[in-house]
Amino acid sequence: MVINWRLLDNNPLISADHMALDEVLLASRSAGKCPNTLRFLQFSPRCALLGLHQAVELEIDEEYCRRESIEINRRITGGGAIFWGPSELGWEIYAGKDWLAGRNLDEVYKLLCEVMVKALADLGVKAMFRPRNDIQVGNRKICGTGGAELDKAFVFQCSLLVDFDVKSMVKVLKIPMEKISDKNISAVEDRVTWLKRELGQVPDMSKIKEVICAAFTSVMDMQFIRDELNSWEEALFREKRMYFHSPEWIYKVHLSTEAGEIKEACLKTPGGLIRVVVKTELMARVLKSVLISGDFFTHNPSVIFELEARLKDCPLEGDKIEEIIRSFFKAYPDQIPGVSAQDVESCVRSALR
C-alpha cells in the first residue's frame, strides 16, 4: 500500500536554522503535530557541523573557518564532524515509531540506506551500504547517515556529496589519522568521492531530488505531497532558532579550563571511531572529566552525556572506571551498535596511560 508523506524542500538555509528545524520537526512528529515527513537540506554559506558530542576545539580549525567565512554549528545527532559545501544535498525523514511496524531501528536504517543506494544506481553510480552508517562507491564514502530518537518519533539523516571541495574539507576538519589508517589510504582526499567525480558532471539538483523520491516509492512504497511548516512548527521554530545561533549551543561540549592534565586516545571499532579526551587530577588520583566522541552511531545521543557524567571524579586506582562503563552498557544495551564496553574501557585506559 502506498503511504503519503509530507515533503519539505526549503531554499538553502544557514546552518543554525537547519539545526533548529531538525529539533522542531522531531518534536512535532513526536507530539503528533505533523505527518511523517521527508525534508531536503542545502546549506548557504558553507559550514562545518559537529556531532552532538564533539568539542569544537578538537574537531574544527576555527581560525580557518573565521578567515574563510565558514559557519560552525552542532547537529542534534551524534557522529563525526562534516563539511558542507553549497553543492551538497541532505535529506531527512521524521517518522513516528508506529511506522516501524515491528521492525527495529537498525533494520529500518539499513532499508533507508538501500533507498539511497537505489537512487545512486538510477543516477548511474554503483554504490553499496557499508555498516554501520556509510554508503560507498568502491572504498570511497559518498554518503553519511545518522539518526536520533525522541519519545514517539525518530529522525534519520543522509548527506550526499555532489560536487565536493576536498581541499577545504581537509583544512576545516581535524581528522584523526586512526580514522583512515585501517583503510590503507595514502591521502585523506582518497577517502571520499562525489557525484561529479563519478559521473563527470553535476546532475541538476531537482533531478537528484526527483530520483531520491522515486527510490523511496520503489523501495518503501512512499509517495510525497509538497507542503510547508504548519503553524505549530513555525511558532516553535521562532522560539528555538536563536538558541541554535548561540555559543551556548555551538560550544555545548568543550574542554574545561580548570587545572588538570589533558590526554586523548582514539580507537577504531566495528561501529566507528571512538575518540576519548580525559582530564585527570594526578595529586588526588581522580578522573576529573571525560569527553567521548567520534564517528560512531547511537540511537539515543543523550546516553553519551550520561556515561560522561557517571565517570566524572572517578578514582583512577582499581577497577572503578571499568565497573562504571560495564554498568552503563548493561543499563543501555544496543544503544551504540558496534561499540562494546570493552572498546570504551580500552580507549579510556589508553588515554590515561
Side-chain angles (χ1 to χ4, degrees):
M1 181 179 70
V2 176
I3 304 171
N4 288 335
W5 283 53
R6 177 176 65 164
L7 173 62
L8 299 177
D9 189 5
N10 310 103
N11 292 324
L13 297 174
I14 62 175
S15 58
D17 283 358
H18 270 311
M19 300 305 99
L21 282 172
D22 285 347
E23 181 160 299
V24 166
L25 290 169
L26 185 55
S28 178
R29 188 64 197 91
S30 182
K33 300 292 185 180
C34 73
N36 291 339
T37 297
L38 169 68
R39 181 167 90 96
F40 286 116
L41 298 83
Q42 293 171 261
F43 290 79
S44 182
R46 298 177 297 168
C47 64
L49 295 180
L50 295 156
L52 179 64
H53 311 107
Q54 295 184 304
V56 173
E57 58 265 48
L58 291 176
E59 309 293 340
I60 306 293
D61 187 329
E62 293 182 82
E63 182 179 347
Y64 179 82
C65 288
R66 280 193 294 270
R67 190 168 64 245
E68 299 297 322
S69 299
I70 296 170
E71 293 184 343
I72 298 173
N73 215 290
R74 177 181 303 280
R75 302 192 303 277
I76 68 168
T77 52
I82 57 177
F83 171 68
W84 279 85
S87 300
E88 275 52 74
L89 176 66
W91 58 260
E92 304 170 327
I93 70 160
Y94 300 85
K97 290 183 179 177
D98 56 352
W99 179 69
L100 298 175
R103 299 172 295 197
N104 65 41
L105 281 172
D106 282 335
E107 292 170 336
V108 172
Y109 288 168
K110 183 178 185 299
L111 194 57
L112 291 168
C113 286
E114 294 299 334
V115 168
M116 196 64 228
V117 169
K118 163 70 172 163
L120 287 167
D122 291 341
L123 288 167
V125 177
K126 184 178 180 180
M128 62 178 291
F129 169 59
R130 180 176 185 260
R132 294 284 176 175
N133 61 347
D134 289 345
I135 297 169
Q136 295 187 174
V137 178
N139 290 322
R140 296 188 175 107
K141 179 176 176 178
I142 193 169
C143 296
T145 67
E149 303 176 56
L150 177 66
D151 298 331
K152 299 178 181 180
F154 69 93
V155 57
F156 178 86
Q157 303 170 318
C158 180
S159 57
L160 169 65
L161 303 182
V162 178
D163 187 8
F164 197 51
D165 183 355
V166 178
K167 291 182 179 179
S168 291
M169 182 269 286
V170 171
K171 292 176 181 177
V172 168
L173 303 183
K174 298 177 180 179
I175 303 173
M177 292 309 294
E178 290 86 345
K179 188 171 184 176
I180 61 172
S181 60
D182 71 330
K183 297 183 180 178
N184 224 8
I185 297 173
S186 60
V188 174
E189 289 91 336
D190 290 334
R191 187 176 169 268
V192 297
T193 191
W194 49 95
L195 282 183
K196 184 178 181 181
R197 184 183 193 178
E198 298 299 323
L199 298 174
Q201 61 181 348
V202 178
D204 184 79
M205 189 62 72
S206 62
K207 173 64 174 178
I208 299 173
K209 294 175 182 178
E210 178 184 320
V211 168
I212 291 172
C213 288
F216 271 107
T217 300
S218 174
V219 176
M220 304 190 76
D221 291 327
M222 294 157 57
Q223 66 180 16
F224 302 97
I225 300 173
R226 187 178 293 270
D227 204 347
E228 303 291 339
L229 297 179
N230 60 43
S231 59
W232 189 92
E233 293 164 337
E234 289 277 12
L236 188 59
F237 176 65
R238 288 193 297 270
E239 175 188 326
K240 293 279 189 180
R241 68 188 299 264
M242 292 313 298
Y243 173 64
F244 286 88
H245 284 257
S246 71
E248 181 184 359
W249 169 250
I250 297 168
Y251 294 90
K252 178 184 178 75
V253 177
H254 60 89
L255 294 176
S256 171
T257 57
E258 297 175 2
E261 187 173 9
I262 296 174
K263 298 292 182 181
E264 66 176 287
C266 294
L267 178 68
K268 191 69 178 177
T269 76
L273 182 83
I274 304 173
R275 185 174 191 167
V276 168
V277 179
V278 298
K279 173 170 281 191
T280 60
E281 188 175 308
L282 295 180
M283 291 294 291
R285 304 299 296 164
V286 296
L287 173 59
K288 292 298 296 179
S289 63
V290 59
L291 294 181
I292 302 171
S293 63
D295 68 353
F296 55 83
F297 181 84
T298 174
H299 295 306
N300 181 1
S302 65
V303 300
I304 302 302
F305 297 128
E306 170 68 21
L307 177 55
E308 292 172 347
R310 292 189 185 191
L311 288 168
K312 185 177 175 62
D313 294 324
C314 180
L316 294 176
E317 311 296 347
D319 298 325
K320 188 62 176 177
I321 290 173
E322 285 79 4
E323 290 174 10
I324 289 173
I325 294 172
R326 290 169 194 171
S327 174
F328 168 83
F329 273 80
K330 186 175 181 180
Y332 296 99
D334 305 319
Q335 286 296 315
I336 314 174
V339 177
S340 68
Q342 289 74 24
D343 291 330
V344 178
E345 291 170 20
S346 175
C347 200
V348 171
R349 283 299 181 189
S350 180
L352 290 173
R353 282 195 294 271

